[in-house]
Amino acid sequence: FNSLPEKLTIYRGCTKGRQDGICWTADRSVAEGFAEGHRGIKNAKPMVYEETINKFDAFFAFNDRREQEIVWRADIDPKTKQSEMDI
């Protein structure tokens, strides 16, 4: 966590409309993989959402399974603006 920059660009890959989840990643390619689906489930409308946050708005960060995961609640900060990208 200490090595992260003060501002983070993070991504969430999911089906369209599920962007308020808490699991995000600092790696866009990881998000693209989750957008397509995981655990044998394909997403009907794969999307990648992008957000720029202050690192101290994250609850924690870890890199298990090399996912560069950032745990953060998108629904608690009305100042942020999400970008939505079809993949």
Side-chain angles (χ1 to χ4, degrees):
F1 189 82
N2 291 336
S3 66
L4 294 172
E6 293 300 313
K7 293 270 187 192
L8 296 170
T9 299
I10 58 175
Y11 307 91
R12 179 164 168 80
C14 55
T15 196
K16 186 177 178 83
R18 301 279 303 190
Q19 69 269 23
D20 287 338
I22 63 170
C23 297
W24 293 64
T25 178
D27 185 336
R28 182 182 162 93
S29 65
V30 169
E32 289 172 353
F34 276 94
E36 292 294 332
H38 65 289
R39 298 185 187 138
I41 300 169
K42 292 288 185 188
N43 289 328
K45 296 181 180 178
M47 299 296 294
V48 171
Y49 294 88
E50 179 182 295
E51 189 80 59
T52 300
I53 66 168
N54 294 313
K55 103 171 162 178
F56 291 105
D57 288 337
F59 295 123
F60 58 92
F62 56 98
N63 197 24
D64 284 355
R65 299 179 306 242
R66 297 184 180 169
E67 292 178 358
Q68 297 185 35
E69 191 163 0
I70 306 293
V71 176
W72 175 73
R73 280 196 43 206
D75 62 336
I76 62 172
D77 190 355
K79 299 183 304 283
T80 60
K81 301 281 189 251
Q82 291 177 349
S83 299
E84 182 179 85
M85 297 165 273
D86 288 305
I87 62 164

